[in-house]
Amino acid sequence: MNKSKGHLIKKILPGSIAEEFELAPGDRLISINGHEIEDIFDYQFYAEDTYIEILIEKPDGEQWILEVDKEEDEDLGIEFDNGLMDEYRSCHNKCIFCFIDQMPKGMRDTLYFKDDDSRLSFLQGNYVTLTNMSEHDLDRIIQYHLSPINISFQTMNPELRCKMLNNRFAGEALKKVDRLNEAGIEMNGQIVLCKGVNDGEELAFSIREMMRYIPNLQSVSVVPVGLSKYRDGLFPLEPFTREDAREVLSTIHHYQNESYQKYGNHFIHASDEWYILAGEELPQEENYDGYLQLENGVGMMRLLLNEFEEAMKELQEKISAGTLDFSSREISMATARLAYPFIRDMAARMMEMVPGLMIHVYEIRNDFFGEMITVSGLLTGQDLIAQLTGKELGEALYLPQNVLRSGEEVFLDDVTVTEMEKALQVKVDIIKSSGRDFVNAVLDRA
């Protein structure tokens, strides 16, 4: 986009200020109060005031200066051609654990795009390394007091961080955390743990260093590196064993206890994979401090189980009162190895409680990326079709929401829901990631 020509307006919302001023799709926003608009954050910041002057350029080149009186934070009703109002910035690191480098060739181009754009941390919750953040970006975050920012720390050892990210500036970038902390910017952190690299004493050191940023650094998750079968020529990484997982959890629990005694929160959290691999019980809800790290798989299973238990109590009350309207039903569910034991047990509980209910639960092995990938978010349509063909599927097949690309009905490998329905000759429905939705879906209730 040519910045000198401003930002292309895609849509005007009905009944909005923009409609009142007769703005239209195809117009361009040039400036607000004389400030050139770099991206969505400039736009939102300068458009907050109760009086603003907007410079608009019409398609024929005519320019309008509009004087707008409005309520504070009242939206102008403009949607732009690009939601970020700028180009997305790609990552320049060569991280030893990068999953995109472990993907096969021939998939859609967008799946190979490595973003490390700090603005997407605020808009979409993405985690950023800070190595691609300029001083200008940092100054704007502080000026606009944008929070929270999600940071991929990996390690607090500057030299090791340079090696892990294959970026000689990666250690120096940690100093930006000091500036964010001094400015009172809220942060969340992430450590992708690699066996023999940033675990053991390095993990303990990193946790101690990050605890210095409490309370602005609200939480840090520790997730195991994802290893696909496409690692030829990449840094040699090994999967964690059960004993490794127990050692990781021991370290995390030690610092959770220390943080809770000092600060009243648990701060450092292990993703669900660690507990399942270690064969240990999931922590109770209060240990997750409000589920700040759900997107990293921290507490997802605990939240699911707790919601399921609440829904099951309500279901039992309906059964006891004789108000449950249900005859009989046979359905199927499929999920990846990580969640399978939980989904299987939940289904068994429901079948025991509800006469006439039959649920077939299938564990799907990830042949596409390799068996070490156990999360449902990386299941492909082709693996689901291959492993479910010929199975008892009943009247509907239920899949977890994260198997699909956000907002679309397509799997990672471009197989669509419709194509799967044709291949398996069964209706495919998606279950949202909550225990209550699980129960409602099984009972065929919205």
Side-chain angles (χ1 to χ4, degrees):
M1 184 192 71
N2 186 339
K3 291 287 186 71
S4 65
K5 293 185 178 179
H7 299 274
L8 182 65
I9 294 175
K10 178 181 180 181
K11 182 179 180 181
I12 300 298
L13 300 182
S16 66
I17 293 173
E19 184 182 59
E20 180 185 343
F21 277 86
E22 299 182 356
L23 300 188
D27 294 346
R28 288 185 176 272
L29 171 69
I30 305 300
S31 67
I32 298 179
N33 292 343
H35 298 283
E36 182 178 333
I37 304 302
E38 179 179 333
D39 57 24
I40 189 64
F41 297 120
D42 281 346
Y43 172 74
Q44 291 176 342
F45 181 77
Y46 291 115
E48 279 185 353
D49 293 342
T50 55
Y51 172 80
I52 55 177
E53 292 185 0
I54 306 174
L55 179 59
I56 296 291
E57 184 173 286
K58 305 298 284 186
D60 63 2
E62 181 183 1
Q63 292 192 341
W64 295 2
I65 297 179
L66 308 177
E67 298 180 353
V68 180
D69 287 302
K70 64 183 190 64
E71 298 294 326
E72 188 173 2
D73 296 334
E74 184 181 0
D75 187 60
L76 294 175
I78 299 174
E79 292 185 3
F80 294 93
D81 187 51
N82 179 333
L84 185 60
M85 298 175 66
D86 194 12
E87 298 297 326
Y88 292 96
R89 300 174 190 169
S90 62
C91 179
H92 301 298
N93 302 319
K94 302 290 183 182
C95 300
I96 63 173
F97 50 84
C98 180
F99 195 79
I100 293 177
D101 290 339
Q102 303 178 64
M103 290 172 55
K105 297 179 180 179
M107 303 179 76
R108 77 178 77 89
D109 290 342
T110 54
L111 295 178
Y112 299 102
F113 180 75
K114 301 180 183 180
D115 73 72
D116 195 27
D117 195 319
S118 59
R119 297 167 298 181
L120 295 182
S121 185
F122 303 104
L123 292 175
Q124 300 176 7
N126 294 15
Y127 278 76
V128 294
T129 66
L130 305 180
T131 59
N132 294 288
M133 179 190 288
S134 67
E135 288 300 315
H136 172 64
D137 293 331
L138 188 60
D139 289 340
R140 287 204 308 155
I141 290 170
I142 292 171
Q143 177 189 359
Y144 300 163
H145 204 79
L146 300 173
S147 286
I149 184 170
N150 297 328
I151 301 171
S152 286
F153 285 93
Q154 318 316 355
T155 176
M156 291 298 290
N157 177 338
E159 182 178 348
L160 177 59
R161 195 169 195 258
C162 290
K163 293 178 180 178
M164 289 189 70
L165 274 60
N166 274 308
N167 184 326
R168 62 193 178 96
F169 301 108
E172 188 74 12
L174 288 173
K175 293 181 179 178
K176 293 171 183 173
V177 181
D178 293 319
R179 283 199 60 196
L180 293 168
N181 185 57
E182 290 165 5
I185 302 298
E186 292 180 354
M187 300 171 278
N188 292 299
Q190 170 187 264
I191 292 176
V192 177
L193 209 63
C194 302
K195 186 174 179 177
V197 180
N198 59 339
D199 55 350
E201 286 303 315
E202 287 290 351
L203 174 61
F205 168 78
S206 293
I207 296 172
R208 289 195 298 271
E209 287 295 294
M210 290 186 294
M211 287 175 72
R212 297 188 295 111
Y213 299 115
I214 296 175
N216 290 323
L217 182 55
Q218 303 172 105
S219 68
V220 177
S221 62
V222 180
V223 302
V225 61
L227 300 176
S228 85
K229 64 183 181 183
Y230 302 99
R231 290 197 56 81
D232 291 346
L234 299 179
F235 187 93
L237 290 173
E238 299 178 10
F240 288 96
T241 65
R242 173 162 291 196
E243 186 56 37
D244 294 332
R246 288 174 176 170
E247 289 181 13
V248 169
L249 289 176
S250 177
T251 299
I252 289 174
H253 292 159
H254 170 79
Y255 287 104
Q256 278 188 337
N257 292 335
E258 181 178 318
S259 177
Y260 194 76
Q261 291 174 8
K262 288 184 178 179
Y263 307 106
N265 64 50
H266 296 85
F267 180 66
I268 185 79
H269 300 275
S271 64
D272 294 350
E273 295 106 308
W274 295 111
Y275 292 97
I276 296 169
L277 179 57
E280 295 188 10
E281 289 290 323
L282 295 170
Q284 294 302 308
E285 186 170 58
E286 55 268 21
N287 286 62
Y288 290 107
D289 299 336
Y291 297 111
L292 293 172
Q293 293 273 355
L294 270 180
E295 292 302 315
N296 272 328
V298 175
M300 288 188 74
M301 296 313 304
R302 170 52 62 199
L303 180 60
L304 176 71
L305 293 174
N306 284 5
E307 291 171 338
F308 175 73
E309 290 298 333
E310 291 176 7
M312 288 293 281
K313 287 179 183 177
E314 295 176 10
L315 179 59
Q316 182 61 64
E317 291 173 1
K318 291 180 180 179
I319 292 174
S320 299
T323 59
L324 178 65
D325 182 18
F326 184 84
S327 53
S328 63
R329 192 166 195 238
E330 182 180 0
I331 60 170
S332 56
M333 295 182 171
T335 190
R337 182 175 300 166
L338 188 71
Y340 171 73
F342 300 96
I343 302 301
R344 176 198 61 203
D345 293 347
M346 290 162 66
R349 288 269 308 280
M350 288 202 69
M351 286 190 290
E352 183 180 348
M353 183 178 291
V354 182
L357 177 62
M358 172 58 69
I359 310 172
H360 305 282
V361 183
Y362 298 106
E363 176 184 333
I364 304 301
R365 180 182 63 254
N366 200 320
D367 291 333
F368 188 89
F369 286 112
E371 292 190 38
M372 286 187 288
I373 301 299
T374 61
V375 295
S376 57
L378 289 173
L379 287 178
T380 57
Q382 59 193 270
D383 277 347
L384 284 157
I385 292 172
Q387 295 175 48
L388 292 174
T389 296
K391 297 288 198 301
E392 293 291 337
L393 300 177
E395 66 185 70
L397 167 65
Y398 287 93
L399 301 174
Q401 188 177 40
N402 61 358
V403 298
L404 300 180
R405 295 183 65 207
S406 179
E408 299 182 33
E409 291 204 347
V410 62
F411 296 85
L412 273 176
D413 56 349
D414 287 335
V415 172
T416 67
V417 171
T418 300
E419 289 169 341
M420 180 172 292
E421 289 179 328
K422 290 180 180 178
L424 296 175
Q425 289 298 293
V426 68
K427 178 176 172 56
V428 175
D429 283 327
I430 304 301
I431 301 180
K432 294 180 181 178
S433 55
S434 85
R436 185 172 299 279
D437 286 321
F438 180 96
V439 172
N440 288 337
V442 168
L443 298 176
D444 195 22
R445 294 178 175 179

